[in-house]
Amino acid sequence: MTDLRELYQQVILDHNRSPRNFRQVPNANHTADGDNPLCGDRITVWVRVDGDVVDDIGFQGTGCAISQASASLMTTAVKGKPVADAERLFAAFHAMVTGAGEPDRATLGKLLAFAGVREFPARVKCANLPWHTLHAALRDTTEPVTTE
Ligand code: ZN
């Protein structure tokens, strides 16, 4: 279990160091801003949905390693997937980091890197922020997302 946990931490460190899809998306048709005042994390997510598929996704933001790595890993997890799958991942991720039962390993895949976050309540909002922001973007919520 220790080795597994170290591997997961490597994933988070790697995504924080070199975030994937850290860019605005040209012709994005969905966007939302997220704010986690507790930690100072801020994020903007851009999504281009084509048909029912997340054709392209990018983010920019500032904040702690957990929030930035979570955003980066999120973009790689949902890019090219149907919107319904992205929403399913959001639900599974939210359940995992808030400690609602056993994580859905088959659905979560690499996102299991964040399973340990549930042991650090102050970090749960950091990990969740990008997902809440994506969720808002897909639903065209006009209110800015805040974890408070
Ligand atoms: Zn944070």
Side-chain angles (χ1 to χ4, degrees):
M1 197 60 204
T2 308
D3 288 350
L4 204 55
R5 191 157 286 179
E6 279 173 11
L7 175 71
Y8 288 163
Q9 284 174 357
Q10 284 307 314
V11 171
I12 291 173
L13 289 173
D14 174 50
H15 276 265
N16 178 54
R17 202 159 36 222
S18 32
R20 320 300 198 269
N21 303 304
F22 192 87
R23 57 181 171 79
Q24 294 190 29
V25 172
N27 311 322
N29 46 19
H30 300 269
T31 184
D33 297 314
D35 182 19
N36 175 19
L38 198 69
C39 179
D41 308 314
R42 287 173 175 277
I43 183 176
T44 302
V45 174
W46 291 271
V47 189
R48 188 172 66 230
V49 174
D50 187 6
D52 287 331
V53 172
V54 178
D55 184 48
D56 201 1
I57 178 169
F59 81 100
Q60 287 184 339
T62 54
C64 69
I66 294 286
S67 68
Q68 299 302 298
S70 178
S72 172
L73 210 54
M74 176 184 80
T75 63
T76 64
V78 303
K79 196 170 173 178
K81 295 247 173 72
V83 169
D85 285 9
E87 293 285 11
R88 213 170 352 245
L89 276 172
F90 164 67
F93 187 88
H94 189 267
M96 173 179 71
V97 296
T98 55
E102 274 299 297
D104 180 350
R105 292 174 184 279
T107 299
L108 288 162
K110 274 191 173 182
L111 297 172
L112 284 166
F114 290 91
V117 166
R118 66 165 72 184
E119 291 162 35
F120 305 93
R123 291 289 176 214
V124 169
K125 289 177 176 177
C126 304
N128 257 337
L129 178 67
W131 287 94
H132 280 294
T133 308
L134 170 63
H135 183 64
L138 290 173
R139 290 176 171 244
D140 293 322
T141 308
T142 48
E143 291 281 298
V145 177
T146 177
T147 55
E148 291 307 300

